[in-house]
């Protein structure tokens, strides 16, 4: 159970709570972000099911479940 925290110079915050930390090429996590760019990218990918190959789900405002 690992946690990754990223705070930018613009004072945005992204926190990933890893569920399954894959061996080489995959992982699953709950993700919180208040970064408008990340939110816009995720929401666009979720709406575009063809490009949502990494399986992102919006759970609540600013909260996502991601699998890569």
């Amino acid at each position: 159970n690992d946690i990754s925290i990223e705070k930018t110079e613009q004072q945005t915050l992204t926190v990933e709570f890893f569920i399954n930390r894959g061996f080489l090429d995959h992982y699953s996590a709950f993700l919180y972000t208040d970064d408008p760019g990340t939110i816009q990218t995720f929401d666009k990918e979720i709406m575009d099911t063809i490009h949502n190959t990494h399986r992102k789900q919006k759970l609540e405002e600013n909260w996502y479940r991601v699998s890569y």
Side-chain angles (χ1 to χ4, degrees):
N1 294 332
D2 295 324
I3 299 172
S4 170
I5 302 170
E6 178 184 339
K7 190 170 187 178
T8 67
E9 291 179 8
Q10 294 78 20
Q11 300 301 310
T12 62
L13 180 67
T14 300
V15 181
E16 284 183 287
F17 302 90
F18 294 98
I19 302 166
N20 176 7
R21 194 83 187 243
F23 182 64
L24 291 175
D25 62 351
H26 72 280
Y27 72 89
S28 299
F30 291 108
L31 183 138
Y32 170 85
T33 186
D34 62 2
D35 181 342
T38 301
I39 292 169
Q40 182 179 17
T41 300
F42 279 13
D43 288 350
K44 182 179 177 187
E45 289 177 5
I46 290 167
M47 296 302 291
D48 185 1
T49 56
I50 293 171
H51 292 101
N52 192 12
T53 58
H54 295 298
R55 295 190 209 109
K56 295 177 180 79
Q57 296 174 300
K58 187 167 191 163
L59 303 173
E60 295 285 332
E61 184 176 348
N62 298 8
W63 283 95
Y64 298 86
R65 187 178 190 290
V66 296
S67 298
Y68 294 94

